[in-house]
Amino acid sequence: MTENQNPTLEEVLKELEEAKKRIALLEEKIDSKDQEISKQSEELNKQSEELNRQSEKIQKQSIQIDRQKNQIMNLKEQISSLMGEKFASRAEGYVPEIKDEEFNKESVITPPSAENPKEKPIFREHDKSKVVYLEEENARTKTCGRGKFGPEIPTKELRLKLPEDEMYCKCGARLRVIGTETTDKVEAPPQRFRIIRIVREKCQCPVCEGITYSEKSVVKTAPVEKTLFPKAMATPSFVAHLIYNKYGLHIPYYRQQYALKYRHLDISRENMNNWQETAFDGLQPLKEVMHEEVISGNVIHADETPVKVINQNPEEIRKELGLRDKDDLKDREKCYIWVLMGGKENHPVIEYNFRWSRSKNNVEPLIEGFSGFMMTDGLSHYNTTADEYNQTHDNKIIHCSCNAHARRKYYDAWKNGNDLDAEPALDYYHEIYVAERELRRQYERKKITAEEFVKKRKEKVLPVFADFKKWVEEIHPKVRPGSKLGKAVNYSLNRWDRLLKYLDSAELTPDNNECEAVGIRPFTVGRNNWKFNYSGEGAKSSCFMFSLIQTAKANGLNPEDYLRNVFEQAPFCETREDWRKLLPWNIEMKPFEDRGEWI
């Protein structure tokens, strides 16, 4: 076909057919490529999903590894803490670095020496190169040697003379006495008990023998003396001796029983327990008066410690815990002693109360009627009860938390957790306690009033607490979860406002250490000796005896003499005022009366 010729219809159709075939081939190729691309896309999607799964798995493993690392570090801290508790000193000694700007030349002095023996360190000496010493007036210059004897101690004189053969001089003249040398020594005669035989005379008329006025003869017998132990073979002085030995010197009754046998007295521990229960029952009004005195002051310190009781009382336990009769009571041998320390500033009272549990229901009955500051540890029951109490009572309670507990957690992180990040907290607490010591020394010596003490303490301590809180808030996001430092930081932040409440009262110190030292520790030492109580009634009786002894000690009385006087004077108490006269600051301490004649 030439260029001028027009294509025929057949040729056009043929070319169209060929074009269609080419298009079909191209479409097949395109479909093939699309399928191949689709397969590749599916493969890429699968690979992407696998990568995502692997990434998630790696992320989870990374989180798990971090948790395990934290757990390992926390376990190492716990092991270090347990090893420290078992083998190391428990004293919370920490001496901060001395900074030139923190102390002036008057406050920093040389360590104790022959020329300067009156100074003592602020805290226990761990590194003597860092110890800061403060002057203390009227400090004791020596800790051993010959002490002073009280005027109440009876004194006998033993005069020693030269032997007769040494009374002559070489010249033959007899020596004459020109003076004496005197030395006082303490003597302890062997302890001896004695029996007092009470003989009651019987009298009758020698003339009529009572026949004139009665069908039978009248015989009059001398009346029985009033006593707290009417049918007992023990006198008040002996019962006071036994009870003081158990709760003051921590000697259980079974040991006293064996000791008495060597002194020819066969007295069973059952009798001793019975006499104690008799005293407890007879002194219930005094127990009520002591509780009234505890809540009469402006400050209460509270704490609790476990005690083991063998014979349980399910009804009392269910009532205390608010349980139903069908609720199961598991092994509840672990009960609690709740200690309250309060009263007027010059007349402290230490009260022990037995409860079957550590339930929140126990707190409000103990503080009912109190108004003022309540210093406790970190147990949440105290704060919850104080808030509920303030909503329903006109007399308000200001709950204060113990700074020693907060500091102890930082110290644990620093010492046992080997966490140097906790050191600034110890430095802040060092400043707080140094300021407290200096100002309280002035207040106790009446150089400043209570109002001046509170004002100056706030001026010194509040800026330190402000810097302390700023540091706590800065370090809080950085601490390792579950670490000792993390727990310390959370403990402080959760109780921050209550940690500062003590600043409002001159009667309060930064911590609850006094209650622990005077109230809790004597009980725990006794508990380590007598191990358990048989019943709840026995535990209540033990608590009251502890209350009498520790309150007597706190008021400067001899505990055994105080018990004897209480036991002797209690039978003559009739009114509430009579019982108040038996409180340590009211009682007339009568000396032991030596009655009777030797037979």
Side-chain angles (χ1 to χ4, degrees):
M1 185 177 66
T2 62
E3 294 179 1
N4 294 330
Q5 285 181 325
N6 294 324
T8 61
L9 180 60
E10 292 178 357
E11 292 174 342
V12 171
L13 292 173
K14 188 177 179 180
E15 288 180 358
L16 287 172
E17 288 294 328
E18 290 176 356
K20 286 181 178 179
K21 290 179 180 179
R22 289 196 296 273
I23 291 170
L25 289 171
L26 289 172
E27 287 178 349
E28 287 179 0
K29 289 181 179 179
I30 291 170
D31 290 339
S32 175
K33 290 290 184 183
D34 287 342
Q35 290 177 1
E36 185 177 352
I37 291 170
S38 177
K39 288 181 180 178
Q40 291 177 351
S41 178
E42 289 178 0
E43 186 67 24
L44 288 172
N45 288 335
K46 289 180 181 179
Q47 291 178 356
S48 177
E49 290 176 359
E50 182 65 23
L51 286 174
N52 289 334
R53 283 196 295 270
Q54 292 294 333
S55 178
E56 290 178 0
K57 187 176 180 181
I58 290 172
Q59 190 175 2
K60 288 181 180 178
Q61 288 177 344
S62 178
I63 293 172
Q64 187 176 3
I65 289 171
D66 290 339
R67 288 177 179 173
Q68 289 175 346
K69 285 182 179 178
N70 289 339
Q71 187 177 10
I72 290 170
M73 296 182 73
N74 293 340
L75 289 173
K76 284 183 177 179
E77 285 185 344
Q78 292 179 18
I79 292 172
S80 176
S81 179
L82 291 173
M83 293 290 286
E85 289 180 3
K86 187 170 182 64
F87 299 108
S89 172
R90 295 191 181 184
E92 298 175 14
Y94 170 77
V95 180
E97 293 288 347
I98 301 176
K99 300 177 183 178
D100 293 338
E101 64 270 20
E102 289 181 358
F103 301 96
N104 54 36
K105 292 184 178 179
E106 281 107 285
S107 61
V108 180
I109 58 179
T110 57
S113 62
E115 296 79 15
N116 196 11
K118 294 186 178 181
E119 290 74 35
K120 68 177 183 179
I122 295 175
F123 290 98
R124 181 184 292 268
E125 300 162 75
H126 279 251
D127 183 355
K128 294 187 178 181
S129 64
K130 300 178 182 178
V131 176
V132 178
Y133 292 86
L134 298 180
E135 291 193 22
E136 182 177 275
E137 298 178 12
N138 300 324
R140 292 185 62 183
T141 57
K142 58 182 181 179
T143 57
C144 62
R146 189 173 294 275
K148 295 181 179 179
F149 303 129
E152 299 83 6
I153 301 178
T155 303
K156 296 179 71 175
E157 184 177 273
L158 175 62
R159 186 172 290 269
L160 303 180
K161 299 181 179 180
L162 281 172
E164 185 64 28
D165 58 349
E166 294 183 16
M167 285 295 294
Y168 292 91
C169 180
K170 291 182 179 180
C171 70
R174 184 177 177 83
L175 301 180
R176 60 186 175 87
V177 179
I178 60 173
T180 59
E181 290 185 5
T182 303
T183 303
D184 289 342
K185 293 188 176 183
V186 180
E187 186 178 49
Q191 184 181 16
R192 297 184 65 183
F193 297 97
R194 65 192 186 194
I195 308 300
I196 181 165
R197 181 172 297 168
I198 301 174
V199 180
R200 297 162 57 204
E201 290 185 347
K202 293 183 178 182
C203 300
Q204 187 183 43
C205 177
V207 178
C208 67
E209 296 184 351
I211 297 176
T212 306
Y213 302 99
S214 174
E215 295 180 356
K216 298 181 179 179
S217 62
V218 176
V219 176
K220 293 183 179 180
T221 307
V224 178
E225 293 181 325
K226 279 190 175 183
T227 177
L228 201 61
F229 313 98
K231 297 183 180 180
M233 59 185 291
T235 62
S237 61
F238 187 65
V239 177
H241 173 77
L242 296 175
I243 291 176
Y244 174 68
N245 278 351
K246 180 174 181 180
Y247 298 109
L249 303 180
H250 320 296
I251 306 174
Y253 283 150
Y254 76 91
R255 293 185 194 167
Q256 295 191 58
Q257 176 183 351
Y258 296 144
L260 290 174
K261 285 184 178 179
Y262 293 110
R263 288 179 166 81
H264 312 289
L265 285 175
D266 187 11
I267 298 177
S268 67
R269 72 191 75 170
E270 288 79 13
N271 276 342
M272 300 179 193
N273 281 315
N274 291 337
W275 298 336
Q276 178 182 319
E277 292 298 322
T278 301
F280 176 63
D281 293 339
L283 297 176
Q284 284 300 305
L286 180 60
K287 183 176 184 299
E288 297 173 4
V289 167
M290 290 184 69
H291 181 70
E292 292 174 1
E293 288 294 324
V294 167
I295 61 176
S296 66
N298 299 320
V299 172
I300 274 185
H301 293 264
D303 207 346
E304 72 288 333
T305 187
V307 65
K308 187 175 181 180
V309 177
I310 302 299
N311 190 11
Q312 301 287 293
N313 189 323
E315 294 182 3
E316 291 186 3
I317 296 175
R318 286 192 173 91
K319 183 180 179 180
E320 188 173 296
L321 297 175
L323 300 177
R324 298 170 296 179
D325 292 342
K326 63 180 181 180
D327 291 333
D328 183 32
L329 288 178
K330 299 179 181 179
D331 181 20
R332 299 198 59 86
E333 286 187 356
K334 187 178 180 181
C335 304
Y336 281 86
I337 302 298
W338 297 72
V339 181
L340 294 181
M341 184 175 177
K344 302 293 192 304
E345 189 172 5
N346 298 325
H347 303 312
V349 179
I350 304 170
E351 181 186 34
Y352 294 78
N353 298 274
F354 169 76
R355 295 293 185 270
W356 293 102
S357 69
R358 211 181 188 184
S359 169
K360 181 176 76 69
N361 300 332
N362 293 324
V363 181
E364 185 169 349
L366 295 177
I367 61 175
E368 182 71 34
F370 173 69
S371 177
F373 296 87
M374 180 174 68
M375 173 70 78
T376 71
D377 57 15
L379 184 65
S380 61
H381 294 346
Y382 294 112
N383 188 53
T384 305
T385 303
D387 291 341
E388 295 175 354
Y389 185 89
N390 290 337
Q391 294 175 2
T392 57
H393 293 73
D394 294 332
N395 47 329
K396 304 298 181 182
I397 293 178
I398 303 171
H399 182 214
C400 311
S401 289
C402 174
N403 279 278
H405 284 78
R407 180 190 179 277
R408 190 170 298 143
K409 295 185 181 297
Y410 289 107
Y411 180 81
D412 193 25
W414 174 73
K415 180 183 178 182
N416 299 319
N418 297 317
D419 198 335
L420 296 179
D421 290 336
E423 194 163 340
L426 300 179
D427 289 334
Y428 286 124
Y429 269 119
H430 178 82
E431 292 184 51
I432 291 167
Y433 274 90
V434 169
E436 177 73 21
R437 174 180 294 177
E438 292 175 348
L439 290 172
R440 189 159 291 279
R441 183 183 294 118
Q442 298 178 30
Y443 173 60
E444 289 175 351
R445 293 171 181 170
K446 298 182 179 180
K447 293 182 179 180
I448 56 176
T449 63
E451 293 76 13
E452 291 173 335
F453 171 78
V454 171
K455 182 181 178 181
K456 289 185 176 183
R457 184 168 64 176
K458 286 184 178 180
E459 290 174 354
K460 282 193 173 184
V461 172
L462 281 177
V464 181
F465 270 116
D467 294 339
F468 187 11
K469 187 175 184 182
K470 184 178 179 181
W471 173 82
V472 170
E473 291 174 342
E474 287 177 356
I475 201 174
H476 183 233
K478 305 174 186 177
V479 295
R480 188 175 75 252
S483 65
K484 290 185 177 296
L485 181 56
K487 293 178 180 178
V489 168
N490 289 328
Y491 186 93
S492 297
L493 286 176
N494 292 337
R495 298 164 177 81
W496 192 262
D497 292 338
R498 298 197 297 276
L499 290 173
L500 273 66
K501 292 290 186 183
Y502 83 94
L503 295 171
D504 295 327
S505 173
E507 296 182 44
L508 279 174
T509 59
D511 51 53
N512 202 34
N513 285 352
E514 188 175 4
C515 183
E516 291 187 353
V518 179
I520 295 295
R521 189 170 292 121
F523 185 87
T524 56
V525 174
R527 181 182 59 199
N528 291 338
N529 286 273
W530 39 257
K531 301 298 183 184
F532 60 86
N533 287 97
Y534 179 73
S535 65
E537 291 302 317
K540 293 176 184 177
S541 171
S542 299
C543 284
F544 183 58
M545 298 307 152
F546 263 111
S547 300
L548 292 175
I549 290 172
Q550 293 305 123
T551 302
K553 288 181 181 179
N555 287 273
L557 298 182
N558 181 318
E560 185 174 345
D561 286 347
Y562 175 67
L563 287 178
R564 175 180 58 79
N565 275 273
V566 168
F567 294 163
E568 289 177 349
Q569 298 177 34
F572 302 95
C573 294
E574 298 179 356
T575 65
R576 201 74 162 180
E577 287 304 315
D578 291 339
W579 288 104
R580 289 190 178 278
K581 291 179 182 179
L582 296 187
L583 293 170
W585 52 91
N586 292 333
I587 193 169
E588 180 186 355
M589 294 291 288
K590 299 178 180 179
F592 177 78
E593 185 180 356
D594 192 359
R595 302 183 302 167
E597 297 178 358
W598 293 107
I599 59 173

